[in-house]
Amino acid sequence: MLTLVWFRRDLRLADNPALVAAARDGAVCPIYIHDPEAKDRQGGAGRWWLHHALAALDASLGRHGLALIIRRGPALETLRGVIHETGAEGVRWNRLYDPPLIRRDRHVKQALRDAGVDVHSHKADLLHEPWTVRTGQGSDYRVFTPFWRALRRLGEPEAPLAVPDLQGPLARPWSEPLGALGLLPRIPWDTGLREAWTPGEEAARRLDRFVTDALPRYHTDRDYPAIPGTSRLSPHLHFGEVSPRQVWAATTEADPEGPGTAAFRTEIGWREFAHHVLFHHPELPDEPLDRRFRGFPWRADPAGELLTAWRSGCTGFPIVDAGMRELRTTGWMHNRVRMVAGSLLVKNLRLPWQLGERWFRDNLVDADPASNALGWQWVAGCGADAAPYFRIFNPIRQGERFDPDGDYVARWVPELAALPPRQRHAPWEAAANVLARAGVRLDRDYPSPVVDLRESRQAALDAFARIKGD
């Protein structure tokens, strides 16, 4: 029996349930479909990663005597065509949980089954399906801690699956060249991404180094952006180059009871929670879950000057500007800095959180639809288990606390690197002679703050007061 394995965001051979099941049935024909109808919400950085991840997957398959078949077109029509060409009797894939993709996949599954094709989908992207974690009343969760407890009560995740023995089709179908998908930028802005990342399943083995070198201190180091204390696995998880079961198993083997493991597994839990919320609330990427915020009095920014300053890392708040420049250069930003940058946008600048969600979606290599939207609604105070709106991060204090020596700022805002560490987070407060010795001229070398923190904080609280009783 020949089975098509439809790869999507599961670009790996190990712990791939659809691939294992297909190999058990007989020959395997791996296929990737670039579906214009998918509405996958993938930004430019994500498309860059996808190109290189597909190349890496094809190379991995090649070492097993197979080749990745690439096609463009609507999923159902494309699968029907390949089934007709190859005589395949089955199709298998691993489930995704973005609402538009769920609708598409249900339609494809039913149509192919009606045509007599053996079709199955599998769980591979999460520890537990979003619909299996329910409250005592049978509803979905809106608060993380009880969700996490309920998920843990479902038991330990299954052990990861090994790479199966693979046999390809007798005749290899034609394939589009990868470059025909147009995933890479036409203007080469991706130099920083190429320097920072290596997509693919082999590169995802950074997991092994992380659990050895950084996991024991993760609970303390993860908040400091100048320290390599995080796993940087998020893009590999998003594109399925490593599975959450593999992550769980690796932490179990390394240090199952350690505080670093507990903190890191909680972050895996937040990823599960984000998909749970998106599954039950498909409007999450666009509409606030707290309906009061639909009438929030956002600030007018007719010329887009405030938004442009934030996007370009020129707000005058060094920790925020460092993060935004790191994002634009590498396609990634430290999570602590994401929260601080997001707070400045939605509270001090008082611009809609959806603008931040879209910018991150286009520039992050790990722009997961669920986690990105949940994170922005958390910062804005309008989502599931969100921070209270009146929790407004002070970027100066956050910088002083989590970048105490100013190393992170010095790296990404080099025009401030010659300042003493204490002045790097608020250069406008430095004495004139200190600025002169460092060669810093405010509003020429580095901008003054675009807003007054105290005044903008009060304006944000006043705006919230207008909706909180609705």
Side-chain angles (χ1 to χ4, degrees), residues 301-320:
D301 184 27
E305 294 178 357
L306 291 174
L307 182 61
T308 297
W310 181 80
R311 286 175 170 175
S312 59
C314 295
T315 67
F317 297 104
I319 192 72
V320 172

Side-chain angles (χ1 to χ4, degrees), residues 37 64 115 226 286-287 342 356 407 469:
E37 298 179 349
H64 291 266
D286 303 302
E287 295 291 338
D407 293 337

Side-chain angles (χ1 to χ4, degrees), residues 130-460:
W131 54 85
T132 62
V133 188
R134 310 293 289 179
T135 68
Q137 292 72 42
S139 60
D140 60 288
Y141 282 94
R142 296 283 291 271
V143 179
F144 172 73
T145 299
F147 166 84
W148 185 227
R149 290 182 186 137
L151 185 142
R152 295 303 306 276
R153 285 195 296 269
L154 294 177
E156 288 292 297
E158 305 95 331
L161 301 167
V163 178
D165 293 328
L166 295 172
Q167 172 190 348
L170 294 177
R172 184 175 296 174
W174 69 270
S175 175
E176 293 265 15
L178 178 56
L181 302 186
L183 298 170
L184 294 179
R186 294 181 179 177
I187 300 174
W189 51 259
D190 58 334
T191 300
L193 273 66
R194 285 186 272 111
E195 293 175 352
W197 300 101
T198 303
E201 185 174 10
E202 289 292 321
R205 290 181 178 171
R206 69 166 53 239
L207 170 63
D208 299 330
R209 297 191 299 274
F210 167 71
V211 297
T212 300
D213 299 339
L215 183 64
R217 301 183 305 278
Y218 177 79
H219 57 297
T220 56
D221 290 356
R222 62 176 176 165
D223 276 323
Y224 296 89
I227 296 176
T230 62
S231 71
R232 293 174 68 92
L233 284 169
S234 51
H236 298 288
L237 276 165
H238 173 62
F239 285 96
E241 298 165 349
V242 66
S243 75
R245 294 195 303 202
Q246 289 173 299
V247 172
W248 197 274
T251 59
T252 298
E253 182 177 348
D255 187 13
E257 304 299 330
T261 296
F264 184 62
R265 284 181 169 179
T266 299
E267 296 305 315
I268 297 296
W270 275 99
R271 181 177 182 270
E272 298 274 320
F273 182 57
H275 283 279
H276 176 85
V277 175
L278 179 61
F279 177 80
H280 292 285
H281 302 276
E283 72 278 13
L284 182 72
D286 303 302
E287 295 291 338
L289 297 188
D290 185 339
R291 293 179 176 269
R292 295 176 300 171
F293 280 82
R294 295 184 179 182
F296 188 84
W298 300 108
R299 183 202 300 260
D301 184 27
E305 294 178 357
L306 291 174
L307 182 61
T308 297
W310 181 80
R311 286 175 170 175
S312 59
C314 295
T315 67
F317 297 104
I319 192 72
V320 172
D321 293 341
M324 298 306 292
R325 296 181 192 187
E326 180 186 28
L327 169 65
R328 196 68 180 120
T329 303
T330 71
W332 190 82
M333 189 194 301
H334 189 277
N335 189 59
R336 168 62 56 176
V337 186
R338 294 188 198 199
M339 292 189 290
V340 179
S343 177
L344 185 82
L345 179 74
V346 298
K347 293 175 180 176
N348 298 100
L349 304 187
R350 223 169 72 248
L351 296 178
W353 61 267
Q354 291 94 332
L355 297 176
E357 192 275 342
R358 291 168 196 153
W359 186 251
F360 275 25
R361 186 198 318 158
D362 194 43
N363 287 278
L364 283 170
V365 291
D366 65 354
D368 183 88
S371 296
N372 190 37
L374 186 83
W376 274 101
Q377 292 218 31
W378 184 91
V379 168
C382 61
D385 203 4
Y389 186 81
F390 53 78
R391 183 183 183 188
I392 301 174
F393 287 102
N394 183 309
I396 304 171
R397 304 294 169 257
Q398 289 285 309
E400 292 172 341
R401 181 178 178 186
F402 296 108
D403 187 29
D405 296 325
D407 293 337
Y408 180 70
V409 165
R411 178 180 181 186
W412 294 107
V413 190
E415 58 266 41
L416 301 180
L419 282 173
R422 293 185 61 183
Q423 271 74 52
R424 289 176 189 167
H425 295 295
W428 62 91
E429 295 180 355
N433 63 327
V434 174
L435 290 171
R437 282 198 301 270
V440 177
R441 292 163 294 181
L442 292 178
D443 295 322
R444 181 169 177 175
D445 300 313
Y446 185 71
S448 296
V450 293
V451 292
D452 180 277
L453 287 179
R454 181 175 297 179
E455 292 178 359
S456 61
R457 181 180 189 279
Q458 188 57 53

